[in-house]
Amino acid sequence: MNFKHLKYFVATAETGQVSRAAKMLSISQSAVTGSVRDLEGLLGVTLFQRRAQGMELTEAGREFLPVARDILEKVDAAHQIHRGTSDISGSLTIAATYTVLGYFLPYHLGRLAQLHPSIEIRIVELNRQSIEEQLLRSQIDMAVVLTSNIHRDGIETLTLLKSPRRLWVPAGHRFCEEGAVSLHSIAREPYVMLTVDEAAHTTMKYWNISNAHPSIKLRTSSVEAVRSLVANGQGVTILSDMVYRPWSLEGRRIETVPTDVEIPTMDVGLALNGSTPPTPAVQALKSYFTSAFLSPKLQF
């Protein structure tokens, strides 16, 4: 196993398609495909299900993804040692929505503190509407948000990753044996609707397109409540891989199942005021995220 195996696997998992991974890495699609197959052979497991809409992680793939990321991040951190820390200084305010703050941002705040110790970063949690307003008024410098929800003129977005959405069911549910499940079949099950970060609005858009309607048992802003209810057999839901964990707080297992229609991904990235020139501190943070997610790296 080598670093290319891990890098190409992570890129494919994060983009959901071999073509997107190849474009991001500036290599051929055959190189990505061959590397993923080699890695599956070395590990003795299937990491992806090949589907018409792209590459879908298997259970083994989802378990291996954080391991691969951790290895690549540690090697990247080792490469930073000889470079020292940045001498860029300044202060800035970053806004983040609930989901991003809880499931995406903490690790990167730690890395930024190591790389840019002279930059003082203030974090505020805001909803999407407040973020748009404060960006346009220059009350905040940058936001880390669900870019798929941002549509305001004057705000520039940069998507860093696309997190696939899948059906969550309790362990042993009949859907686990049926392959890709239709929304009409899901509609016959009690549905737990997450409402935070406009999740309900996003959910209903793709349900309406399919002319199907979920049988909503409960609406809640708590991801942990959704997790526990699904794990305990009280309903099903469709949520993104970024917030997925295989166990509830009670220690009950949650499985994920593909759907037979393409569900929009949850896109995470940066939002900035398009008319405001970035300060050195803002540019440093933007460069960090661009390097971490969008630039080829670890060329071994």
Side-chain angles (χ1 to χ4, degrees):
M1 188 185 302
N2 59 46
F3 290 111
K4 282 186 178 179
H5 287 133
L6 301 179
K7 182 177 65 172
Y8 295 179
F9 163 71
V10 170
T12 304
E14 290 180 343
T15 61
Q17 291 185 357
V18 169
S19 59
R20 289 177 183 169
K23 183 177 180 180
M24 183 180 77
L25 297 165
S26 300
I27 58 174
S28 68
Q29 294 186 36
S30 60
V32 176
T33 301
S35 183
V36 169
R37 285 178 178 166
D38 288 346
L39 182 59
E40 290 178 322
L42 288 166
L43 295 174
V45 296
T46 300
L47 297 171
F48 292 100
Q49 293 289 341
R50 280 76 172 171
R51 303 190 183 281
Q53 60 265 39
M55 301 286 277
E56 181 176 306
L57 285 167
T58 62
E59 184 67 26
R62 284 194 294 274
E63 291 182 8
F64 185 65
L65 181 58
V67 176
R69 281 175 173 156
D70 188 53
I71 293 170
L72 292 175
E73 287 164 358
K74 282 182 167 57
V75 173
D76 187 49
H79 277 237
Q80 296 290 340
I81 290 174
H82 76 278
R83 301 172 193 168
T85 56
S86 167
D87 58 358
I88 298 173
S89 62
S91 62
L92 51 80
T93 299
I94 299 178
T97 54
Y98 172 89
T99 303
V100 171
L101 188 56
Y103 295 91
F104 175 81
L105 199 51
Y107 166 81
H108 297 289
L109 291 175
R111 291 287 292 125
L112 285 166
Q114 293 175 340
L115 296 172
H116 299 287
S118 298
I119 297 179
E120 180 185 355
I121 301 175
R122 176 174 175 260
I123 305 295
V124 293
E125 181 184 329
L126 298 171
N127 60 31
R128 188 261 308 170
Q129 295 92 334
S130 297
I131 284 175
E132 290 178 339
E133 292 170 3
Q134 293 195 27
L135 274 175
L136 292 173
R137 294 173 183 168
S138 298
Q139 294 173 316
I140 55 177
D141 299 291
M142 175 189 291
V144 188
V145 295
L146 304 184
T147 53
S148 41
N149 291 349
I150 301 287
H151 304 288
R152 190 81 168 263
D153 290 342
I155 295 178
E156 292 183 357
T157 61
L158 177 66
T159 297
L160 301 172
L161 66 87
K162 296 176 177 287
S163 179
R165 289 183 169 99
R166 309 180 206 276
L167 175 66
W168 294 13
V169 299
H173 193 281
R174 61 185 177 86
F175 285 161
C176 296
E177 307 299 327
E178 295 184 9
V181 182
S182 71
L183 291 184
H184 290 281
S185 294
I186 298 169
R188 292 192 283 270
E189 299 285 321
Y191 194 92
V192 185
M193 179 73 79
L194 184 68
T195 60
V196 73
D197 279 352
E198 303 173 282
H201 175 70
T202 301
T203 297
M204 291 313 302
K205 282 198 295 188
Y206 59 77
W207 275 90
N208 290 336
I209 290 172
S210 297
N211 196 28
H213 304 281
S215 178
I216 299 172
K217 177 177 182 177
L218 174 70
R219 297 174 184 267
T220 176
S221 61
S222 169
V223 177
E224 291 305 325
V226 174
R227 207 188 311 279
S228 290
L229 287 164
V230 171
N232 283 279
Q234 299 302 302
V236 301
T237 195
I238 296 174
L239 288 176
S240 82
D241 283 357
M242 193 176 80
V243 300
Y244 171 74
R245 303 292 183 273
W247 305 99
S248 70
L249 292 175
E250 304 86 3
R252 295 182 180 272
R253 189 166 182 85
I254 301 166
E255 306 286 354
T256 61
V257 180
T259 58
D260 68 349
V261 295
E262 186 171 1
I263 304 295
T265 57
M266 186 174 78
D267 301 346
V268 180
L270 307 180
L272 301 100
N273 185 325
S275 63
T276 303
T279 64
V282 169
Q283 187 58 49
L285 266 64
K286 184 178 178 182
S287 296
Y288 162 79
F289 282 110
T290 301
S291 175
F293 289 94
L294 303 179
S295 299
K297 56 184 179 179
L298 298 175
Q299 299 291 341
F300 292 95

